[in-house]
Amino acid sequence: MTGPQPQARVRVVLAERRGARRVRTRVEVAEQTEIGEALVAGLIRAQLGLALRFALVSALTLCALPLLFRVEAVSTLVVFGIRLPWLLLGVAVYPALYAVGRLYLRLAERNDQDFLDLAEE
């Protein structure tokens, strides 16, 4: 029989080398080798920098409020029957702090995800 001959089998391997690299990087982080320590130190440095920036912005904003209240036009302004300083301190500060906290959380989680992506490469 001289019909069509079956083709030889071919072995297909997907990302074999990449998987080996992923395991090696995870092991380096877990065993705290020099490379693993550098990766973790980078994550800690990024998280600390983010926390300090947000703390500085929040502190400067809250400390600027008394200076704003020293302006007579602002301190005597009445909105909804309430003087503006009381309205800002009693109502506006809390949603602003909540928004800062949510933004910080989102950016901190992004730092963590970037670290995990780097560790998987």
Side-chain angles (χ1 to χ4, degrees):
M1 305 220 161
T2 59
Q5 298 294 325
Q7 294 181 353
R9 291 183 148 188
V10 177
R11 181 177 175 202
V12 178
V13 179
L14 299 175
E16 187 174 291
R17 182 175 181 183
R18 188 173 184 193
R21 172 79 173 134
R22 180 182 309 136
V23 170
R24 194 174 331 126
T25 306
R26 286 182 183 171
V27 168
E28 287 172 354
V29 171
E31 292 181 357
Q32 296 181 353
T33 63
E34 289 182 24
I35 295 172
E37 285 181 16
L39 289 171
V40 171
L43 174 64
I44 292 171
R45 198 170 30 254
Q47 296 290 40
L48 178 64
L50 182 67
L52 290 177
R53 284 192 305 266
F54 271 82
L56 182 65
V57 167
S58 298
L60 287 177
T61 302
L62 291 176
C63 291
L65 285 177
L67 296 175
L68 179 66
F69 300 153
R70 297 281 295 166
V71 177
E72 190 170 332
V74 174
S75 65
T76 59
L77 188 62
V78 176
V79 179
F80 301 120
I82 304 170
R83 290 180 47 199
L84 185 62
W86 288 106
L87 193 63
L88 288 177
L89 288 175
V91 178
V93 169
Y94 298 105
L97 288 175
Y98 179 77
V100 167
R102 292 285 294 183
L103 182 61
Y104 171 76
L105 180 63
R106 193 175 84 203
L107 293 176
E109 287 176 348
R110 184 182 299 166
N111 282 346
D112 287 340
Q113 188 60 45
D114 289 345
F115 173 76
L116 291 175
D117 292 343
L118 183 64
E120 288 182 358
E121 287 182 358

